[in-house]
Every structure is written in C-alpha cells, then in structure tokens.
Amino acid sequence: KAGVTQTPRYLIKTRGQQVTLSCSPISGHRSVSWYQQTPGQGLQFLFEYFSETQRNKGNFPGRFSGRQFSNSRSEMNVSTLELGDSALYLCASSRLLGNEQFFGPGTRLTVL
Amino acid sequence: KQEVTQIPAALSVPEGENLVLNCSFTDSAIYNLQWFRQDPGKGLTSLLLIQSSQREQTSGRLNASLDKSSGRSTLYIAASQPGDSATYLCAMTGGGNKLTFGTGTQLKVEL
C-alpha cells in the first residue's frame, strides 16, 4: 500500500514568488493536515481538511492557503514568499478523524 | 493552549541499553497521543498511537504509556540499537486531527 506522497520534494524560489505544494494521501484516507517545520519553531500546524472542508487553521498569515479535492488530494499555496518561509512542509493523512496519522516525506522549500 | 515538553532534549546511550523518553503536557483534555520518529531531513514515521481510553500500547521493542491525570507519556525502548538513532516526537490531538508536537528528544545509540 503506497504511503503519503508529496510533490515536489525540493523547491527553490525567490522572494515575492508564489508556490504550490501537493499532497496525495494514502488510498482511502479522507483527512489531510499540513505542517511547517523549521529549526527554530519546530513543527507548527497549518491546516486540517476532511472531505474537502477545512476544519481547522493554524496561526499563519493569509498568504498561506490550501484546499482539498474530491479525491482527497490536497494542495497548499504560499503567495508572496518571504525568506522566513524556508522550511520543510509536511502533510499527514488519516482514514478518519481521530485515527492514526501518517506523514509524507515532505517538501523542502528554500526561498532566496 | 497546550504546551508539550520532552525531556531530555538529547540522549546518547550505548547499544543494548533500555531507555525511557518522557513527554509532559499541560492540558489533560487530550484525545489521542502519538509517538513519531524523524530521521534527519526526512518525514515523520508513526511508532505508536494511544487513544484516549487506553493506558499503553506496545509494538516490538517499543512500549508507550499515557497518564492523562498527571499529564505524562513515556516511550520505553528496549535493547536499543544504532538504527534507533533519530529524533523522537510526541504529539497529541484535542479533537479533530490537529497535532500539537513536543520539543523532541534527539537519541544517539552508539556501538
């Protein structure tokens, strides 16, 4: 059974650009969540989606947005990139709310 | 707001030693607690999930316990091996799937 996949794995952008990251959950999983990991702040929650509905949003500026599609795949978008957006972006999926969550390998975003 | 602390922040042990990693949280109204490991530059690997009605879970050489009344969880690793070297993270949900993560314990198991 395939795990959570994230594309692209690595990304280099310049300040002011925008970026879209993709997450494909494990087959049959309906919940997808996104996290940002940096050395200084650790793992911080971005969004939580279940059946195409955003259930929860972390304390991030409006430049960070996301969505979930009917096939449970999810994307997150960051507009007007800043140097501080450089991080490892991780997504996690679970079958239902409250179930065990499984993480993908992450997308390493570098903003120059 | 849930605050999660893991002690120690770093640990170095010789191969074969049994060890305990600690996770403390301030709000006992948690739903699930999950332990993960993370290898450098990689994603998180789920180790154990303890649901709110459970007190412990075991998988192979790993055993995790949860005491909500005292705000503590422990991860016990038996007969440690060099391949266990990684950062270990505890995380909990208060409902829904939003995980609040601990600060992590960086473990090194030496030959």
Side-chain angles (χ1 to χ4, degrees):
Chain A
K1 193 174 186 180
V4 179
T5 58
Q6 293 186 244
T7 57
R9 293 293 312 280
Y10 302 92
L11 208 48
I12 299 175
K13 292 285 188 179
T14 56
R15 279 181 299 175
Q17 288 187 307
Q18 75 165 20
V19 66
T20 299
L21 311 182
S22 180
C23 173
S24 293
I26 293 171
S27 178
H29 284 198
R30 294 167 60 189
S31 172
V32 173
S33 300
W34 288 88
Y35 295 84
Q36 181 196 66
Q37 186 176 32
T38 58
Q41 299 296 318
L43 278 149
Q44 293 187 289
F45 170 76
L46 281 158
F47 319 101
E48 173 191 346
Y49 291 91
F50 184 78
S51 294
E52 301 179 69
T53 300
Q54 187 180 90
R55 297 191 74 255
N56 211 339
K57 186 177 191 299
N59 188 25
F60 278 83
R63 301 184 296 107
F64 290 80
S65 63
R67 58 180 176 170
Q68 186 181 31
F69 301 96
S70 58
N71 62 358
S72 294
R73 190 177 69 86
S74 179
E75 290 182 346
M76 66 163 284
N77 184 78
V78 187
S79 62
T80 320
L81 284 165
E82 300 178 358
L83 295 178
D85 297 333
S86 295
L88 181 66
Y89 290 87
L90 295 162
C91 81
S93 78
S94 69
R95 185 174 299 278
L96 297 171
L97 298 176
N99 287 174
E100 186 174 7
Q101 297 188 56
F102 298 90
F103 278 77
T107 293
R108 172 74 63 184
L109 172 64
T110 302
V111 182
L112 303 176
Chain B
K1 179 188 173 187
Q2 180 74 274
E3 303 280 346
V4 186
T5 305
Q6 291 186 245
I7 295 173
L11 183 61
S12 182
V13 300
E15 182 181 13
E17 192 161 302
N18 301 326
L19 53 100
V20 174
L21 307 182
N22 296 293
C23 171
S24 299
F25 45 93
T26 55
D27 186 351
S28 61
I30 67 170
Y31 189 70
N32 287 341
L33 187 141
Q34 200 166 346
W35 281 91
F36 297 91
R37 67 172 279 170
Q38 185 175 32
D39 295 283
K42 303 291 180 62
L44 278 62
T45 299
S46 176
L47 298 174
L48 290 163
L49 169 72
I50 306 177
Q51 295 184 311
S52 59
S53 58
Q54 299 172 322
R55 294 292 301 266
E56 68 177 311
Q57 279 288 343
T58 298
S59 176
R61 295 182 294 109
L62 306 178
N63 174 275
S65 66
L66 172 62
D67 183 345
K68 292 201 287 184
S69 62
S70 66
R72 294 181 61 182
S73 177
T74 60
L75 178 67
Y76 175 82
I77 303 176
S80 58
Q81 303 170 357
D84 294 331
S85 298
T87 295
Y88 289 80
L89 295 152
C90 66
M92 55 215 60
T93 61
N97 270 8
K98 175 186 172 182
L99 286 163
T100 300
F101 282 89
T103 46
T105 294
Q106 190 172 359
L107 173 65
K108 183 175 182 181
V109 181
E110 299 175 321
L111 290 168

